Amino acid sequence: MRLGYTLLTEQSGPRALVGHAVRAEQAGFDFEVMSDHYSPWLDSQGHAPYAWSVLGAVAHATERVELMTYVTCPIMRYHPAVVAQKAATIQLLSDNRFLLGLGAGENLNEHVVGTGWPPVNVRHAMLGEALQIINDLFDGGYTNFVGDHYRVDSAKIWSLPEVRPPVGVAVSGEASVRRFAPLADALVAVQPESWLCSLWDEVRTTSNAEPSRKIGQLPVCWDTDRDAAVARAHDQFRWFAGGWKVNAELPGTQAFAAATQFVTPDDVAASIPCGADVDRVVESARAFFDAGFTDLALVQIGGEHQEVFLDAAERELLPALRETASR
């Protein structure tokens, strides 16, 4: 089990994120993932810098940790040919420490380009074509492509890394697993479902591919004052209770505020570890260990509360999580 730290662009500005990245590496995290948003989920989070600019700075400021987008949507706001170019550049800047995490996106971020929000089956078809384009460009040479959703005309990545960037894909159901497991190098999911992991490996084996990494994510709200932690988690992270079938469809922060108006602090505290409780964090992480995940990235809720969390991670959390994972 590899343990990661989340650079959550929705809750911190670009300079702060780079500082957090450096401190997380010093604290002993194995990898760092970055969200790729145009908008925060709720107004109280208050940030949304451009992830790829921040990744470039983080690549130069860090030395050891693997970097990853968690996740980039290559179907509307970005054309897949441009995503491939960006990923190749970060791979070069980071000395081959980058994993390109992809997903079918959320209306929250993609509606800004004004082309509407397609239904999930269309989004998955678009992501399948995007993956084909990105993989072809990573192979080198010129790519020409004509599909139902995209055209690519004589595209080539001129600054191509020697080590091909691995690709992870976010999945949440059987259809997405069966479609994307043969095309990706890693599974990405936020729910500790063992059937997702087993089906992913089954589909890959059927496709003559090796079992692969499975990368999960766990939000926590670390604070010596548990009541303050619960209040902050409710204020900034109650959107998480909606689940991805809902979260992918809502168009903006006002919609998320309205959709979660009846979510209580107790509801949030029941699903997110709050306070300075190592055992509670370990117990929540154990669900991912038991489900078959190979990697787990922690999210500390609250942009102004990263230092206390990173100190606790170095001193208490990471040793406890690694001991539990090893058992």
Side-chain angles (χ1 to χ4, degrees):
M1 172 63 67
R2 301 169 73 251
L3 298 170
Y5 170 75
T6 300
L7 297 160
L8 199 69
T9 60
E10 302 94 291
Q11 66 179 14
S12 296
R15 288 180 176 271
L17 288 166
V18 176
H20 299 159
V22 172
R23 179 66 186 99
E25 183 177 64
Q26 295 169 348
F29 282 95
D30 302 310
F31 66 103
E32 298 178 5
V33 307
M34 181 177 290
S35 55
D36 186 353
H37 270 237
Y38 199 88
S39 170
W41 301 98
L42 295 165
D43 287 352
S44 56
Q45 291 180 311
H47 291 277
Y50 184 54
W52 292 88
S53 298
V54 182
L55 275 170
V58 168
H60 261 245
T62 57
E63 299 178 354
R64 171 187 57 80
V65 286
E66 181 184 33
L67 305 175
M68 175 185 176
T69 49
Y70 203 102
V71 290
T72 286
C73 176
I75 67 172
M76 295 181 66
R77 188 166 41 115
Y78 307 137
H79 190 282
V82 177
V83 172
Q85 182 190 33
K86 293 192 288 192
T89 299
I90 297 298
Q91 181 76 321
L92 288 168
L93 287 172
S94 65
D95 293 327
N96 304 319
R97 290 185 284 129
F98 183 63
L99 189 155
L100 175 61
L102 300 175
E106 299 97 15
N107 193 10
L108 174 71
N109 302 300
E110 306 308 313
H111 79 273
V112 297
V113 296
T115 57
W117 185 235
V120 64
N121 62 314
V122 175
R123 301 199 302 266
H124 283 176
M126 295 171 74
L127 181 56
E129 287 191 11
L131 270 167
Q132 184 177 341
I133 292 165
I134 291 167
N135 283 327
D136 286 350
L137 286 165
F138 284 169
D139 285 340
Y142 287 94
T143 291
N144 292 280
F145 181 87
V146 178
D148 293 330
H149 303 284
Y150 302 106
R151 293 189 60 179
V152 178
D153 182 13
S154 299
K156 176 181 177 179
I157 298 176
W158 287 90
S159 294
L160 191 69
E162 292 184 6
V163 177
R164 180 192 186 97
V167 177
V169 175
V171 295
S172 60
E174 181 178 351
S176 57
V177 170
R178 293 194 180 279
R179 179 188 288 267
F180 299 122
L183 304 175
D185 303 298
L187 172 150
V188 178
V190 296
Q191 296 296 331
E193 302 284 359
S194 59
W195 69 265
L196 273 178
C197 297
S198 58
L199 179 61
W200 178 272
D201 285 342
E202 176 187 324
V203 173
R204 286 182 62 80
T205 300
T206 304
S207 304
N208 297 315
E210 295 290 329
S212 73
R213 293 169 65 181
K214 301 159 194 73
I215 306 169
Q217 190 178 54
L218 174 67
V220 304
C221 196
W222 187 270
D223 198 305
T224 54
D225 184 338
R226 185 178 184 277
D227 290 341
V230 171
R232 186 167 72 248
H234 178 259
D235 179 50
Q236 297 193 21
F237 236 75
R238 64 185 183 275
W239 61 269
F240 196 71
W244 290 106
K245 288 186 178 180
V246 173
N247 291 345
E249 305 299 332
L250 299 179
T253 58
Q254 291 182 336
F256 277 94
T260 59
Q261 61 182 312
F262 299 116
V263 177
T264 69
D266 287 342
D267 294 333
V268 174
S271 60
I272 295 175
C274 294
D277 189 341
V278 174
D279 291 340
R280 176 76 196 285
V281 176
V282 169
E283 191 59 32
S284 296
R286 189 193 302 273
F288 287 90
F289 304 161
D290 292 344
F293 283 78
T294 61
D295 302 68
L296 181 64
L298 302 181
V299 184
Q300 163 67 346
I301 298 171
E304 302 300 318
H305 298 267
Q306 300 303 301
E307 285 297 329
V308 65
F309 167 75
L310 291 168
D311 290 344
E314 182 175 19
R315 185 178 62 251
E316 304 175 75
L317 279 172
L318 289 177
L321 288 166
R322 289 194 171 106
E323 181 182 355
T324 301
S326 69
R327 295 201 303 266

